[in-house]
Amino acid sequence: MLDAALLSVPVMAALVGWFTNWLAIKMSFYPIRFIGVGVLGWQGVIPRKAEKMAHICIDRTLRQFGDLNAVYQKLEPQHIIEQVVSQVTPRLDEYIDEMMYETQPVLWDNLPLFLRRRIYQWAREQLPARIENLVEDFGDDLDELVDLKALLSRELQQHPDLMNRIFQQAGSVELRSVINRGAIIGGILGCFLAAVWSIYPEPWLLPIGGFLIGFITNWLAITLLFAPLAPRRFLFWKIQGLFLRRQPEISDIWAKLVAEELITVEKVADAMINGNQGDRTRAIMQKHLRPLLDNSLLMKLGAQVTVGMSGYTELKKAMNQQALLATHDVFSNPGFNKERAPVVASVLAGQMKALRPAEFQDILRPAFREEEVQLMFIGGVFGALAGAFQLIVLAYSAWWA
């Protein structure tokens, strides 16, 4: 009976190690939003630290690369110009009609068809040059027009599960390894506990030992993700932090998901128009679109005679508003966003791969560092409960024997 009891100790310890590591991983991701009252409750570590991690990632990668303007050049501005022109031109007549019917419907209805066609043609001829100058201006000032941290904060607040998906896909291999190693580490510690219990079969030993096993396995599991920073030889093995060992693969996955989910062309364009520098963005658009009216003496004089100066001003405002709507139509195109995402991803991935191990660790580690003790303590509590349960079962079995 004693041999069976001793054998059950490392088996139970292995189960404790596996379960507490599994629980620690689950508690890292879930719940996505805080559940509880006041300080009594829990929110997944990663959703809670998502914003901080994203900011560190952007700081590290863009600091290495230069700034957002440099990233923009990789997006091939000429391709963006072609995209805008190809998307806007087929609908240009429609945009002009909407603008005119909003500001001067009677005038537009009574304008001879040949004049309307002339206006359409004038706009089509002027559009490519206007768009080229506009895109060039945006590229020069993009780093000032877009607050990437504000963009990331907004997206992660609205979609707190995003960083979960990024982490789970980028680190799926490592997270499974952590759970499985918990069983191995727990079993090894259980063998030591069984040896001590055979000499000192005290009732408190199994619960206390269970607490230590749960605590230590969680500590080792988290530590092995990030340490050692550099590869080290231990007996026949070369060991390095699990996340650090797969830095190139994780960088590719992380960058791909960030580019597809967070820093898309559509979201950057929206941040330019509706962000803190939205007024400046509108001013740049107005500067480049105003010549569509002003450069045609016939159109300018005709508009001022028929609708007056105030009406002409309203016409220009309506044109700017229509341009904003057209911008949304262009950059919300799923195909264009999908096509440009690999360009952004390649920039981010390249810079993440170039980071030193300590810098790469600093992107991922903040999600765990501030919560490690809590996760380890919870593991210890479950280990103690398992030890107490095992003690009761063994005592009950001995009593019936």
Side-chain angles (χ1 to χ4, degrees):
M1 182 65 191
L2 180 61
D3 291 341
L6 287 176
L7 183 61
S8 70
V9 172
V11 172
M12 178 61 78
L15 291 175
V16 167
W18 184 92
F19 175 76
T20 54
N21 279 13
W22 174 84
L23 183 65
I25 295 299
K26 290 298 180 184
M27 292 182 69
S28 296
F29 292 106
Y30 304 104
I32 292 174
R33 299 190 184 276
F34 180 81
I35 295 178
V37 178
V39 295
L40 300 177
W42 186 260
Q43 180 185 12
V45 176
I46 291 172
R48 185 150 28 104
K49 302 295 180 183
E51 189 175 331
K52 182 176 182 179
M53 283 192 297
H55 289 179
I56 293 174
C57 176
I58 293 302
D59 281 343
R60 290 277 191 269
T61 53
L62 289 187
R63 187 179 66 189
Q64 292 285 111
F65 193 77
D67 55 24
L68 195 56
N69 297 345
V71 178
Y72 169 77
Q73 294 304 317
K74 290 285 186 179
L75 286 173
E76 301 172 349
Q78 187 58 41
H79 188 80
I80 296 176
I81 294 168
E82 293 170 0
Q83 169 70 12
V84 174
V85 173
S86 66
Q87 290 285 313
V88 173
T89 300
R91 297 188 60 189
L92 189 57
D93 295 3
E94 177 187 339
Y95 290 135
I96 293 173
D97 286 342
E98 290 176 0
M99 176 184 70
M100 294 303 298
Y101 279 123
E102 179 183 343
T103 56
Q104 300 296 331
V106 176
L107 170 64
W108 196 242
D109 265 338
N110 289 281
L111 198 67
L113 184 58
F114 79 92
L115 284 180
R116 288 167 63 173
R117 287 176 176 169
R118 185 171 179 181
I119 292 172
Y120 296 148
Q121 183 61 31
W122 167 262
R124 280 193 289 269
E125 291 172 355
Q126 294 293 308
L127 185 66
R130 294 295 102 210
I131 295 300
E132 184 173 355
N133 293 335
L134 177 62
V135 170
E136 184 179 341
D137 243 14
F138 278 153
D140 293 339
D141 297 335
L142 193 59
D143 207 43
E144 299 174 9
L145 294 174
V146 179
D147 186 343
L148 264 186
K149 289 187 176 180
L151 168 60
L152 293 172
S153 298
R154 183 189 67 190
E155 289 298 319
L156 291 171
Q157 286 170 7
Q158 293 176 353
H159 308 285
D161 62 312
L162 278 180
M163 194 59 76
N164 266 11
R165 287 193 281 118
I166 291 172
F167 234 96
Q168 287 169 336
Q169 291 187 43
S172 58
V173 175
E174 288 69 29
L175 297 175
R176 284 196 301 271
S177 177
V178 164
I179 295 172
N180 294 333
R181 290 187 183 198
I184 298 172
I185 295 169
I188 293 172
L189 293 176
C191 291
F192 286 104
L193 178 60
V196 174
W197 193 50
S198 66
I199 301 173
Y200 302 102
E202 298 293 334
W204 51 265
L205 191 58
L206 288 183
I208 296 298
F211 178 89
L212 292 175
I213 289 171
F215 189 94
I216 292 172
T217 52
N218 276 12
W219 172 76
L220 280 174
I222 295 172
T223 300
L224 289 174
L225 287 173
F226 304 104
L229 286 175
R232 291 182 182 176
R233 183 70 62 178
F234 177 74
L235 297 178
F236 304 104
W237 300 281
K238 187 170 72 171
I239 59 175
Q240 186 182 15
L242 295 176
F243 277 140
L244 305 175
R245 190 169 61 193
R246 292 185 66 243
Q247 181 173 344
E249 296 91 336
I250 291 175
S251 296
D252 284 332
I253 298 172
W254 177 288
K256 178 177 182 292
L257 291 171
V258 167
E260 291 177 351
E261 302 278 355
L262 291 177
I263 310 179
T264 65
V265 173
E266 178 184 7
K267 289 173 181 176
V268 170
D270 181 72
M272 288 173 59
I273 295 170
N274 299 311
N276 295 333
Q277 297 296 320
D279 290 341
R280 185 175 172 187
T281 300
R282 290 179 175 85
I284 293 175
M285 294 180 72
Q286 183 178 355
K287 180 182 78 172
H288 290 285
L289 294 177
R290 183 184 298 164
L292 285 174
L293 291 177
D294 292 347
N295 285 358
S296 171
L297 183 61
L298 176 62
M299 291 178 64
K300 183 176 181 180
L301 290 176
Q304 290 181 1
V305 167
T306 53
V307 302
M309 286 301 297
S310 61
Y312 185 64
T313 302
E314 290 301 314
L315 189 60
K316 288 192 287 187
K317 289 181 180 178
M319 182 177 65
N320 291 335
Q321 187 60 35
Q322 201 64 41
L324 294 176
L325 295 176
T327 300
H328 178 268
D329 292 341
V330 171
F331 292 119
S332 62
N333 182 285
F336 183 63
N337 277 270
K338 186 176 181 180
E339 180 190 353
R340 295 292 89 191
V343 179
V344 177
S346 67
V347 172
L348 292 176
Q351 297 311 309
M352 288 184 72
K353 291 175 184 178
L355 294 174
R356 295 191 299 272
E359 294 174 319
F360 185 72
Q361 180 202 62
D362 283 344
I363 294 176
L364 308 175
R365 190 68 189 266
F368 295 93
R369 183 175 285 123
E370 297 174 17
E371 316 296 335
E372 286 177 2
V373 175
Q374 294 183 54
L375 292 173
M376 289 185 283
F377 182 78
I378 292 171
V381 170
F382 276 96
L385 292 174
F389 174 76
Q390 185 178 24
L391 179 64
I392 293 171
V393 170
L394 292 176
Y396 184 76
S397 301
W399 183 77
W400 277 101

